[in-house]
Amino acid sequence: MTGGRRGSTLAPMSDPQALDQMLATLAPTPQGEYVFALVDEVPAGTHPFAVIRDEDKLTVVLEKSEAEAAGLPVDKTYAHLSLGLQADLDSIGVTATIAQILSARSIVANPIACARHDHFFVQADRADEAAQLLADLGRNARGWLPKN
């Protein structure tokens, strides 16, 4: 098993440099503005980025325009940052490292891990700052890797 997604050439997670290798691939890109809404069912005609089952309700992650059209509250919005990194669901430390970097600057960091990519949702008004912090982390991590 590798430390990366299927087909990845990343080091196995037992390799102490696996985290650095994954972080070195960070290429954060803002992907739009989203709303997290608590609902009884997915609103008709919407195409959620994610649906998360809470105990008695659903949380849908919708583009702001879709949430507005569905009559959902849009007072709290989050920018979707696609991280561009290849990290396995079993990877250790990737989400924690990214969350720590963002939280150190008091930036809300709501992660959603998927089978092939990880995504973070940050305050919409701080998306550029968050993307720059993570791009800096990726550049720094590339410097930590052994020179061939």
Side-chain angles (χ1 to χ4, degrees):
M1 178 164 156
T2 64
R5 309 281 182 194
R6 187 173 301 153
S8 173
T9 58
L10 295 175
M13 280 309 297
S14 59
D15 181 337
Q17 294 175 338
L19 177 59
D20 293 345
Q21 288 177 333
M22 283 183 281
L23 294 175
T25 66
L26 270 170
T29 306
Q31 299 286 318
E33 199 168 349
Y34 286 75
V35 171
F36 284 63
L38 193 61
V39 297
D40 291 320
E41 59 187 41
V42 176
T46 64
H47 302 90
F49 176 84
V51 177
I52 303 148
R53 187 174 314 277
D54 288 324
E55 288 181 17
D56 60 341
K57 299 258 186 185
L58 300 174
T59 296
V60 291
V61 182
L62 292 167
E63 288 188 35
K64 181 181 177 184
S65 59
E66 276 197 290
E68 286 175 322
L72 298 172
V74 295
D75 53 323
K76 290 172 93 175
T77 61
Y78 301 89
H80 169 211
L81 290 183
S82 177
L83 301 179
L85 64 79
Q86 299 293 310
D88 190 273
L89 286 172
D90 295 329
S91 299
I92 298 169
V94 174
T95 303
T97 300
I98 291 168
Q100 183 177 28
I101 294 291
L102 296 174
S103 67
R105 295 295 297 268
S106 299
I107 297 174
V108 169
N110 294 299
I112 295 179
C114 296
R116 294 186 305 159
H117 300 285
D118 294 332
H119 306 269
F120 270 79
F121 291 82
V122 301
Q123 295 118 294
D125 62 343
R126 300 198 57 198
D128 291 338
E129 179 184 0
Q132 186 59 54
L133 286 167
L134 298 181
D136 290 346
L137 174 61
R139 269 190 299 282
N140 289 335
R142 286 188 288 281
W144 302 329
L145 297 174
K147 306 294 183 230
N148 292 334

